């Protein structure tokens, strides 16, 4: 395709080119939201092409837990790059993959024994679902092929993952008839164990009791539901779900893609409930936000189960998945460095301090007009409005105040890098309070 001279993608008008030709997440090509050009990033700050700087309160969609341009991660990438950027994982292997798997298993819940690397969170969820389906096929229980979950979840944008996302906020209505029909039980309303009462498990209990013979697995985000609504629920719910999964012989998949690597104050959010899943997904902060990498971990029960019927010809005993960029050495090396950096940092203290400051500084929003709820968990601060937020208008207002956030729906929230200073976080929270006032005036 020839482009008019004026919109050469490498010329000064590249922005015009990008606006015409590039799709952004959940965006219209005809009528796109503004996209701000970033020139570089360091510490917790993004530097825009026009010279402005903003504090990143999003950690680039929750990944950049150490901030940007991190010497330790740069060094790991450079050193791996000088050896090899990538080799196929089919029939070949390398130390970065083994090293990262070892590191992951050493911090994951005790029962996790095996690791499958993939290139994004959504794919790691597909792999988790596949593991569960193949597990039951190998036991000659093919009828156990459905999933049970709760509303307000988010597990990714691929088709299997979409089928267990929130049925209203998610994309079910666009793909009805294409998406597998999964089962949903009522979501718990208690935000923590103090508010818990056993009636909150009733719907889940009745669902699993009625349908366990067709259920392969339960899939949940532990304790924090992220992109489906930034909701927190009581660890007791998870404890009881885990018990019921055991009782009714249904596998438990925990999606720790958003919650993993300390975000909620525990290394993995399932630790708040003291439970272990059969299958667990990690992604997002795995490489400290440097590269795309995810992993599906499972217990020996699951991997042994997939091989159970190896003798008969119907089931081959192999897990049928194999991404081209599986276990990419560059990404694995950076992930090892990121986990080391996390483990050698006072991350628990940092997350606790961020949480306490968010509590203090977002508390005034509780009294503001148009606010439905204010909630904090670990290093996550959420203001839920009563009405949807005008994202583009709020965003340009936030940028004026030197802060980068991406509100969605009725939610104005922050998930900052753990290395954010108290002073920088105060700028984020005061910008959030102003965004709340601004939003409530507009409706
Ligand atoms: C972001 C996210 C995913 C999807 O990960 P991608 O890397 O965007 O495919 C899945 N589950 C949860 C809980 C997430 O937050």
């Amino acid at each position: 395709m020839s482009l008019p001279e004026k919109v050469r993608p490498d010329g000064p008008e590249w922005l015009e080119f990008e606006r015409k030709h590039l799709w952004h997440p959940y965006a219209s090509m005809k009528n796109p939201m503004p996209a701000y050009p970033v020139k570089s990033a360091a510490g917790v700050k993004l530097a825009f092409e026009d010279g402005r700087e903003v504090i990143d309160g999003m950690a680039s969609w929750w990944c950049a837990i150490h901030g940007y341009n991190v010497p330790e991660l740069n060094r790991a990438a450079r050193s791996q790059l000088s050896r090899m950027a990538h080799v196929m994982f089919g029939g070949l292997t390398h130390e970065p993959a083994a090293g990262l798997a070892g590191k992951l298993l050493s911090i994951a819940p005790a029962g996790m024994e095996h690791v499958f690397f993939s290139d994004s969170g959504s794919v790691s969820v597909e792999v988790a679902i596949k593991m569960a389906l193949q597990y039951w096929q190998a036991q000659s229980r093919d009828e156990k092929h459905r999933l049970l979950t709760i509303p307000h979840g988010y597990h990714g944008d691929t088709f299997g993952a979409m089928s267990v996302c929130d049925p209203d906020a998610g994309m079910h209505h666009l793909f009805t008839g294409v998406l597998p029909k999964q089962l949903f039980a009522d979501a718990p309303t208690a935000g923590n164990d103090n508010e818990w009462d056993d009636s909150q498990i009733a719907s889940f209990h009745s669902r699993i009791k009625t349908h366990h013979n067709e259920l392969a697995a339960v899939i949940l985000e532990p304790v924090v539901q992220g992109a489906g609504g930034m909701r927190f629920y009581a660890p007791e719910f998870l404890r009881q779900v885990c018990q019921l999964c055991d009782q009714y012989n249904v596998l438990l998949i925990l999606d720790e893609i958003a919650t993993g690597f300390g975000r909620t104050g525990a290394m993995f959010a399932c630790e708040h409930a003291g439970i272990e899943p059969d299958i667990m997904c990690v992604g997002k902060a795995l490489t400290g936000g440097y590269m795309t990498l995810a992993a599906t971990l499972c217990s020996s029960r699951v991997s042994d189960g997939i091989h159970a019927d190896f003798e008969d010809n119907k089931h081959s005993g192999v897990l049928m998945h194999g991404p081209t960029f599986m276990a990419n050495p560059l990404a694995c090396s950076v992930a090892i460095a990121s986990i080391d950096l996390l483990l050698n940092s006072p991350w628990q203290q940092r997350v606790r301090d961020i949480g306490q400051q968010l509590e203090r500084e977002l508390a005034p929003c509780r009294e503001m007009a148009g606010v439905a709820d204010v909630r904090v968990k670990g290093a996550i601060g959420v203001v839920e409005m009563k009405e949807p937020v005008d994202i583009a208008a709020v965003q340009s207002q936030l940028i004026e105040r030197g802060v980068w956030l991406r509100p969605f729906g009725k939610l104005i929230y922050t998930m900052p890098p753990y290395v954010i200073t108290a002073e920088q976080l105060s700028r984020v929270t005061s910008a959030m309070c102003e965004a709340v006032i601004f939003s409530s005036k507009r409706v």
Side-chain angles (χ1 to χ4, degrees), residues 229-410:
M230 304 304 291
R231 286 165 48 103
F232 313 143
Y233 66 82
E236 182 60 21
F237 180 74
L238 210 48
R239 242 170 259 136
Q240 299 203 12
V241 162
C242 186
Q243 264 167 22
L244 291 167
C245 285
D246 280 347
Q247 186 184 336
Y248 288 103
N249 204 15
V250 173
L251 297 173
L252 177 59
I253 302 171
L254 290 184
D255 178 348
E256 292 260 11
I257 292 167
T259 48
F261 307 102
R263 180 57 68 179
T264 67
M267 183 56 81
F268 295 102
C270 62
E271 294 169 21
H272 294 295
I275 60 147
E276 291 178 12
D278 299 294
I279 301 171
M280 175 169 134
C281 300
V282 295
K284 288 211 162 88
L286 174 57
T287 63
Y290 263 52
M291 261 167 273
T292 175
L293 183 71
T296 311
L297 281 56
C298 77
S299 65
S300 290
R301 174 195 173 193
V302 173
S303 64
D304 290 350
I306 291 171
H307 298 264
D309 240 0
F310 197 66
E311 303 303 316
D312 95 12
N313 282 333
K314 192 170 150 219
H315 303 288
S316 62
V318 304
L319 180 64
M320 287 308 285
H321 214 91
T324 305
F325 285 98
M326 185 166 178
N328 172 255
L330 261 183
C332 287
S333 297
V334 174
I336 292 171
S338 175
I339 295 172
D340 282 342
L341 189 56
L342 183 67
L343 293 176
N344 293 326
S345 75
W347 63 270
Q348 292 100 326
Q349 189 60 45
R350 282 178 178 162
V351 169
R352 205 176 307 131
D353 289 349
I354 291 171
Q356 286 169 359
Q357 192 180 343
L358 288 171
E359 285 279 6
R360 267 196 320 275
E361 295 181 354
L362 293 178
C365 294
R366 281 209 172 84
E367 314 304 323
M368 290 180 189
V371 172
D373 190 31
V374 177
R375 48 189 183 264
V376 172
K377 180 109 202 166
I380 310 169
V382 184
V383 180
E384 182 169 339
M385 305 295 292
K386 290 177 182 155
E387 301 296 331
V389 174
D390 179 341
I391 297 168
V394 167
Q395 225 162 31
S396 91
Q397 231 240 350
L398 288 162
I399 288 168
E400 293 288 301
R401 282 158 183 69
V403 170
W404 173 249
L405 295 175
R406 183 171 158 111
F408 71 93
K410 300 173 183 171

Side-chain angles (χ1 to χ4, degrees), residues 62 120-123 125 154-156 221 227 255 257-258 284:
W62 330 343
S120 76
S122 302
V123 174
V125 169
Y154 178 79
H155 298 284
E221 294 160 277
D255 178 348
I257 292 167
K284 288 211 162 88

Side-chain angles (χ1 to χ4, degrees), residues 5-25:
E5 201 57 26
K6 235 183 96 222
V7 290
R8 277 190 28 192
D10 52 350
E13 289 88 13
W14 68 267
L15 250 182
E16 202 180 320
F17 172 86
E18 105 95 44
R19 216 178 137 81
K20 278 207 182 97
H21 297 278
L22 285 195
W23 243 302
H24 279 264

